[in-house]
């Protein structure tokens, strides 16, 4: 089984099932055994739901036996997966990485499945458990008050990135075949880059985020994390659809490329394509997370922009240039030019201000997915006796520590400043993005998914506790275009480098085709060698 299931793909697993070599129960037990063996060191899976996973496996085995040779399997039938701990699973605690949702007797137990969980179940997936994540997904590394620290599968001392670090360690370490991540500023893509996996950020609105505890609902997104582009694409085909519970998916079926997206996976998909390299990423220009609201004075804009500056490290530049060789070898042209998304683009994107509306997202989530005891921030405070943190409801945000006024929380639907804060800057930034593609006849953009290698979390980073590997890719969330990270090679010390590609809105099929062609041409991925004892036992 180790030989057959290690690094197994969905198509290969389907072959094994069709040949009756393994039952779903046997496959699920194999994954559960790996989690039990290694999770104490890597701490990727916060909640192991063995009972329900085995019950699902037994049911699927019985259905297959009863159906005989005419039995038809769903696109993810018998596929063992994990989901991130902010993604609601009926009957389980949606910890969102935070101990405040785990208070005994007051746990945030999901009353129903998130939309994507329901769709994955219908397709036949078997959910093994929920992966660790930092509190509210608000970190570039994977330390949580709910479960502790997740280690990088390639070296447990190093960061897997955040906030989907639990999923990437689980997937790259073969604790599951694939999983979902969420991404508010880089949280699917940056962790995928640290761990030699594929991370997909769909066009915002292609996949519903209903039932996912928000960090910032205007920027949040969800997508698959897998070891191959093919597996990620199969999962995206399952996850994508309009959903009345997520208004941003309305009309997506008409906007999006025709599915299934697997039809775009062709080995020659990069031939004749042109990609530009954003100049502001190479320069490390700063884009503050959640942007800068229109009311901010020039002094605050300058201060926040400077604080967000993240230079591209020399070793990452070298890894990126080497990965570009793979694109060119596969038939693509890669264009470097100072006019390609320059620093002025970063300035434009930085004015997409979303923090004034974070509480609205939290209130909507709790109203539908909160436990019986509380369905709002006010009810949480009444029941627990303490408030939800400013991270997800606003109020005394970190900016007040510098003597700034508190940002007042509003409903974006009724706020007279919504156009100046969000809609206007977002439209302007998206126009600049598309204008660059048109002007230089580009198909998309390519760039490093992180500005640095994964840091060693046993050592200080910039003189303090490691904050994880940072990126300059939050602009993707602010304009909602699709992006994908693929394994781009390895640093000299053996840690992975990830290449990110972005495309025009709704060209997700083309994007996945390019990623597939790059993957097939380079075959960079190699699995980690896991250890049974670590430098950080229990990783607390």
């Amino acid at each position: 089984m180790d030989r057959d299931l290690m690094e197994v793909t969905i198509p290969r697993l389907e072959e094994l099932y069709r040949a009756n070599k393994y039952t779903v129960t046997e496959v699920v037990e194999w994954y559960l055994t790996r989690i039990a063996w290694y999770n104490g060191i890597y701490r990727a899976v916060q909640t192991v739901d063995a009972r329900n996973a085995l019950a699902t496996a037994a049911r699927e085995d019985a259905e297959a036996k009863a159906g005989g040779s005419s039995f038809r399997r769903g696109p993810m039938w018998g596929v063992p997966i994990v989901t991130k701990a902010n993604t609601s699973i009926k009957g389980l605690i949606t910890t969102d990485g935070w101990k405040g949702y785990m208070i005994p007797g007051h746990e945030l137990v999901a009353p129903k499945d998130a939309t994507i969980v329901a769709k994955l179940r219908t397709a036949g997936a078997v959910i093994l458990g929920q992966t660790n994540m930092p509190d509210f997904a608000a970190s570039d590394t994977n330390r949580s008050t709910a479960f502790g620290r997740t280690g990088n599968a390639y070296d447990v001392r190093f960061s897997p990135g955040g906030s989907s670090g639990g999923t990437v360690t689980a997937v790259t370490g073969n604790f599951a075949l694939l999983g979902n991540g969420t991404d508010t500023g880089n949280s699917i893509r940056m962790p995928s880059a640290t761990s030699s996996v594929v991370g997909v950020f769909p066009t915002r609105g292609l996949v519903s985020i209903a039932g996912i505890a928000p960090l910032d609902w205007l920027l949040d997104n969800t997508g698959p994390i897998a070891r191959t582009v093919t597996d990620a694409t199969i999962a995206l085909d399952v996850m994508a659809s309009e959903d009345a519970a997520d208004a941003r998916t309305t009309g997506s079926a008409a906007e999006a490329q025709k599915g299934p997206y697997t039809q775009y996976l062709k080995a020659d998909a990069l031939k004749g394509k042109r990609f530009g390299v954003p100049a502001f990423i190479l320069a490390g220009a700063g884009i503050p997370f959640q942007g800068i609201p229109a009311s901010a004075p020039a002094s605050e804009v300058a201060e926040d922009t400077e604080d967000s500056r993240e230079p591209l490290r020399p070793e990452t530049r070298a890894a990126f240039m080497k990965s570009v060789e793979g694109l060119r070898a596969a038939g693509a042209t890669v264009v470097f030019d100072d006019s390609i998304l320059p620093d002025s683009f970063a300035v434009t994107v930085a004015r997409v201000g979303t923090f004034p509306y974070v509480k609205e997202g939290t209130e909507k989530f709790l109203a539908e997915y909160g436990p019986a005891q509380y369905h709002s921030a006010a009810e949480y405070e009444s029941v627990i006796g303490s408030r939800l943190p400013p991270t997800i409801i606003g109020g005394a945000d970190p900016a007040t520590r510098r003597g700034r006024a508190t940002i007042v929380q509003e409903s974006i639907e009724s706020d007279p400043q919504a156009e100046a804060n969000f809609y206007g800057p977002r439209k302007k930034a998206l126009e600049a993005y598309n204008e660059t593609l048109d002007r230089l006849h580009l198909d998309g953009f390519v760039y490093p998914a992180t500005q640095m290698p994964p840091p060693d979390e046993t050592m200080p980073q910039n003189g303090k506790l490691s904050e994880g590997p940072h990126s300059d890719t939050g602009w993707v969330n602010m304009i909602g275009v699709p992006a994908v990270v693929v394994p781009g090679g390895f640093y000299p010390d053996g840690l992975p480098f990830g290449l990110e590609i972005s495309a025009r809105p709704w060209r997700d099929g083309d994007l996945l085709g390019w990623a597939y062609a790059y993957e097939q041409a380079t075959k960079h991925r190699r699995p980690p060698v896991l250890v049974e004892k670590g430098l950080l036992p229990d990783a607390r």
Side-chain angles (χ1 to χ4, degrees), residues 278-288 304-313 317 341-343 346 448 450-451 471-473:
F280 84 91
I281 291 179
L282 299 186
I287 300 178
D304 289 349
T305 300
E306 183 57 34
D307 286 349
S308 301
R309 182 171 293 278
E310 196 61 66
L312 185 67
R313 302 290 173 84
R317 183 184 294 270
L341 303 187
D343 283 9
T450 62
Q451 298 295 100
S471 81
D472 276 345
T473 62

Side-chain angles (χ1 to χ4, degrees), residues 166-221:
T167 297
V168 301
T169 294
V171 171
T172 202
N174 285 271
F175 294 3
L177 201 151
L178 58 81
N180 88 300
T182 62
D183 192 316
T184 310
N186 60 31
S187 288
I188 288 173
R189 296 160 292 133
M190 181 266 281
S192 296
T194 74
S195 299
S196 199
V197 291
V198 177
V200 180
F201 181 99
T203 301
R204 180 63 183 93
L206 184 68
V207 177
S208 172
I209 61 169
I212 296 175
L215 171 56
D216 186 328
W217 66 293
L218 293 174
L219 303 177
D220 293 341
N221 202 354

Side-chain angles (χ1 to χ4, degrees), residues 441-488:
H441 307 289
L442 301 173
D443 295 283
F445 298 100
V446 294
Y447 43 92
T450 62
Q451 298 295 100
M452 61 186 69
D456 183 343
E457 295 194 315
T458 68
M459 303 290 288
Q461 182 184 8
N462 299 326
K464 56 185 177 181
L465 185 68
S466 169
E467 296 176 340
H470 303 307
S471 81
D472 276 345
T473 62
W475 57 277
V476 170
N477 304 74
M478 297 164 100
I479 59 176
V481 298
V484 63
V485 167
V486 289

Side-chain angles (χ1 to χ4, degrees), residues 166-387:
T167 297
V168 301
T169 294
V171 171
T172 202
N174 285 271
F175 294 3
L177 201 151
L178 58 81
N180 88 300
T182 62
D183 192 316
T184 310
N186 60 31
S187 288
I188 288 173
R189 296 160 292 133
M190 181 266 281
S192 296
T194 74
S195 299
S196 199
V197 291
V198 177
V200 180
F201 181 99
T203 301
R204 180 63 183 93
L206 184 68
V207 177
S208 172
I209 61 169
I212 296 175
L215 171 56
D216 186 328
W217 66 293
L218 293 174
L219 303 177
D220 293 341
N221 202 354
T222 187
I225 294 171
R227 291 186 294 270
T228 69
V229 176
T230 298
D231 287 350
T233 303
I234 291 170
L236 184 64
D237 275 325
V238 169
M239 296 164 72
S241 73
E242 295 189 30
D243 178 15
D246 181 354
R248 291 185 69 177
T249 64
T250 301
S252 62
E255 295 274 5
Q257 285 183 298
K258 184 179 179 181
Y261 290 127
T262 49
Q263 69 181 302
Y264 299 92
L265 305 187
K266 299 176 181 178
D268 63 352
L270 282 170
K271 288 185 177 179
K273 299 299 183 291
R274 285 171 55 85
F275 299 96
V277 178
F280 84 91
I281 291 179
L282 299 186
I287 300 178
F289 176 58
Q290 297 176 300
I292 304 169
S295 60
S299 60
E300 291 184 8
V301 174
E303 185 178 7
D304 289 349
T305 300
E306 183 57 34
D307 286 349
S308 301
R309 182 171 293 278
E310 196 61 66
L312 185 67
R313 302 290 173 84
E315 58 269 46
T316 300
R317 183 184 294 270
F320 172 61
M321 295 306 296
K322 190 171 182 180
S323 71
V324 166
E325 294 174 8
L327 287 167
R328 289 173 170 157
T333 298
V334 180
V335 182
F336 290 80
D337 190 287
D338 290 343
S339 71
I340 298 175
L341 303 187
D343 283 9
S344 59
F345 174 78
V347 172
T348 299
V349 172
R351 298 315 300 253
V352 181
T354 60
F355 191 74
Y357 314 108
V358 294
K359 185 176 182 179
E360 181 178 358
T362 297
E363 296 285 16
K364 288 178 177 178
F365 170 75
L366 289 177
E368 288 293 322
Y369 287 88
Q373 298 178 30
Y374 50 87
H375 286 283
S376 69
E379 288 182 0
Y380 180 92
E381 183 176 359
S382 176
V383 169
I384 305 299
S386 60
R387 300 186 71 202

